[in-house]
Amino acid sequence: MKMLLLRWPRTLFARLALILCVGLVLAQTLSFWLTMTERDQATTNVMMGYIEREAASSVALLDHLPPAERPQWLPRLARRSYEFILGPGIAGTPPDARLSKMVAKSIADGIGTEYALTVNAVPGDKERMQVHLKLTDGTPLTIDMRPMSGVPLSPWLPLVLALQLIVLAACCWLAVRLATRPLHALAVAADALGPDLKAARLSEDGPSEVARASKAFNAMQDRIATYMAERMQILASISHDLQTPITRMRLRVDVMDDDPQHAKLQQDLQEMENLVKEGVAYARTLHGAAEAPIRIDPDALLDSLMCDYVDAGSEVTLDGSIGAALVTRPQALRRILGNLIDNALKYGGSARIVATALPGGPVTICVRDRGPGIPPGLLEAVFQPFYRVEESRNRQTGGTGLGLAIARQLALAMDASLSLHNLAEGGLEARLSLPKTN
């Protein structure tokens, strides 16, 4: 529990706010203590002079009054911290408290030159002392004192201090928020920088440090976009240049006599052509689909896709429906689902499409198969380019390793998510979640 209470906040906003608030509380506490200390010292000094003068005047007045009139004057001469008693008082030991010693010295300075004084502390819980003397006619007089270290606090002072702390804390919160808001905007922009490199550009206004960071981030986006465009252009050029020699090789193989190597060469050339085409397709998906989002009927698209596979003799079924229009990129969606269905047919022999839509939630399209599934530790690794779970490296059984990578990149470009899950009853489920925008 103690470790939880002392745990350091994770966010910069919380850390700065905590440091400033704790610093303000400590500074306010120190300021209050210094003010109260100085106030008590000043009050004590004023009180010592006041007691010296008042005690001397009161004793002189009682000494000049007739003995019969003295008791009537005692309530008039009493003060908040002391009173006069006509009598010997209570005996005790000399005072040892600092404040009592100061009071005793002040009274001694005021009347000690004219009257013989004795001072003693009165036993008890609170600080109390008595000064004993005799008037000129021999009447004993006792000054019973309860020294006060200062004047009481005003009842409104704690409220004012609390309001002051609240105002300072609010100002700290606002200052920290203004200071950390550009960092939050930078983090949001970095998270939104997807494969299409079309994240919103940061505003380059504000303080010089913020403007400099925003300019650097915008320039970084431009450089990355340039590098990606150059890479795609290089891959496209390589693909174009490879098409010609591959075509010549296919023609030469076609005119070859029946040779045991003839079929193998045909297969190799076909794999080379497929690999080049899929490599270029993957490079293009890194920039996202150029297709503009439009409103479509997703149920009609799924039904059409299923019918195409059924017509081709594949075992593909469709369950569920979305029941509402969807704003998305239909060609990209069709290609994603096509890649997922092809994988299901390749490894499971059949594919089952399940479409669901929660009220107010995302649209989910799942493609399930009855294949062997994928080891749990490789469910994310298979989305990497050219990664294949099948270890024989046979293109006929393992493919090129780009189908899922292309599907993931297209899904990211559509603000969707694509994940794989092993089914409890056996098989694999590819789950595509699309944001529901009407």
Side-chain angles (χ1 to χ4, degrees):
M1 179 63 69
K2 184 179 294 184
M3 292 300 296
L4 291 177
L5 294 177
L6 298 178
R7 186 170 59 183
W8 188 242
R10 294 183 60 84
T11 64
L12 179 62
F13 176 84
R15 291 182 180 183
L16 291 178
L18 178 62
I19 292 173
L20 290 177
C21 288
V22 171
L24 284 174
V25 170
L26 293 178
Q28 188 77 354
T29 303
L30 179 61
S31 176
F32 177 76
W33 178 79
L34 292 175
T35 301
M36 293 302 298
T37 302
E38 194 278 334
R39 178 173 177 265
D40 290 344
Q41 291 179 354
T43 302
T44 300
N45 293 334
V46 172
M47 188 179 299
M48 294 302 103
Y50 172 78
I51 291 176
E52 179 181 345
R53 294 189 301 271
E54 286 288 316
S57 301
S58 299
V59 171
L61 177 61
L62 291 173
D63 197 12
H64 286 82
L65 287 173
E69 297 181 7
R70 289 171 182 170
Q72 302 174 4
W73 281 86
L74 294 181
R76 302 179 186 179
L77 299 176
R79 297 293 184 267
R80 183 172 59 182
S81 60
Y82 65 90
E83 62 181 355
F84 293 91
I85 302 173
L86 291 173
I90 303 173
T93 59
D96 56 355
R98 183 185 65 86
L99 188 58
S100 296
K101 291 181 179 180
M102 294 177 62
V103 174
K105 183 177 183 303
S106 297
I107 294 178
D109 292 341
I111 59 178
T113 57
E114 300 181 9
Y115 303 92
L117 304 177
T118 59
V119 183
N120 65 270
V122 177
D125 296 336
K126 295 184 179 180
E127 187 176 356
R128 182 183 174 190
M129 59 175 287
Q130 287 188 347
V131 179
H132 309 280
L133 57 94
K134 290 185 178 181
L135 301 177
T136 54
D137 60 357
T139 302
L141 178 65
T142 298
I143 307 176
D144 190 88
M145 307 199 69
R146 292 175 175 81
M148 299 175 60
S149 59
V151 296
L153 290 176
S154 300
W156 48 264
L157 183 59
L159 178 60
V160 171
L161 292 177
L163 291 176
Q164 186 178 8
L165 278 176
I166 292 174
V167 172
L168 290 175
C171 292
C172 288
W173 179 86
L174 180 61
V176 173
R177 185 173 181 83
L178 291 176
T180 57
R181 182 179 294 174
L183 294 178
H184 176 72
L186 181 61
V188 171
D191 289 338
L193 186 61
D196 55 357
L197 300 176
K198 294 180 181 179
R201 300 181 68 84
L202 292 176
S203 173
E204 299 181 359
D205 298 330
S208 58
E209 296 84 358
V210 176
R212 182 178 179 183
S214 300
K215 290 179 180 178
F217 182 81
N218 292 335
M220 180 190 69
Q221 288 192 75
D222 296 337
R223 288 195 299 271
I224 294 176
T226 302
Y227 298 153
M228 295 295 292
E230 291 177 354
R231 186 172 75 167
M232 189 184 72
Q233 182 63 37
I234 292 173
L235 288 176
S237 299
I238 293 174
S239 174
H240 180 271
D241 293 342
L242 284 175
Q243 290 294 331
T244 301
I246 290 176
T247 302
R248 288 201 303 264
M249 292 172 67
R250 290 176 67 90
L251 292 174
R252 291 172 181 173
V253 169
D254 289 340
V255 299
M256 289 177 60
D257 297 333
D258 291 338
D259 188 275
Q261 301 297 325
H262 181 275
K264 294 181 180 180
L265 289 174
Q266 287 281 12
Q267 180 180 337
D268 290 341
L269 289 173
Q270 184 64 40
E271 290 178 4
M272 290 174 60
E273 189 172 4
N274 292 339
L275 182 60
V276 170
K277 289 180 179 179
E278 291 194 14
V280 174
Y282 174 73
R284 288 173 178 170
T285 59
L286 292 178
H287 281 286
E291 178 186 11
I294 60 175
R295 184 182 299 273
I296 65 169
D297 182 356
D299 294 325
L301 185 145
L302 294 177
D303 184 71
S304 173
L305 187 63
M306 179 200 67
C307 292
D308 290 343
Y309 278 94
V310 171
D311 292 342
S314 301
E315 186 181 345
V316 179
T317 59
L318 173 63
D319 295 334
S321 62
I322 297 173
L326 191 66
V327 178
T328 186
R329 298 168 178 172
Q331 296 302 323
L333 178 58
R334 179 180 285 272
R335 182 163 189 183
I336 293 174
L337 295 176
N339 286 357
L340 299 179
I341 294 173
D342 289 341
N343 279 348
L345 294 174
K346 180 183 298 182
Y347 297 105
S350 64
R352 178 187 173 199
I353 307 172
V354 181
T356 57
L358 297 177
V363 172
T364 303
I365 303 175
C366 301
V367 178
R368 301 172 181 173
D369 62 47
R370 296 191 297 267
I374 295 176
L378 301 179
L379 290 174
E380 279 296 319
V382 294
F383 287 107
Q384 299 176 8
F386 301 106
Y387 187 93
R388 295 185 298 122
V389 178
E390 202 275 332
E391 298 180 354
S392 68
R393 310 303 297 174
N394 190 328
R395 299 295 182 184
Q396 293 294 330
T397 59
T400 61
L402 288 174
L404 288 177
I406 292 173
R408 170 65 71 86
Q409 292 297 335
L410 288 173
L412 293 176
M414 296 165 59
D415 295 327
S417 63
L418 177 61
S419 57
L420 299 179
H421 308 271
N422 286 314
L423 298 174
E425 63 273 15
L428 186 71
E429 176 185 88
R431 187 180 304 165
L432 178 66
S433 296
L434 296 163
K436 191 174 183 180
T437 55
N438 296 327

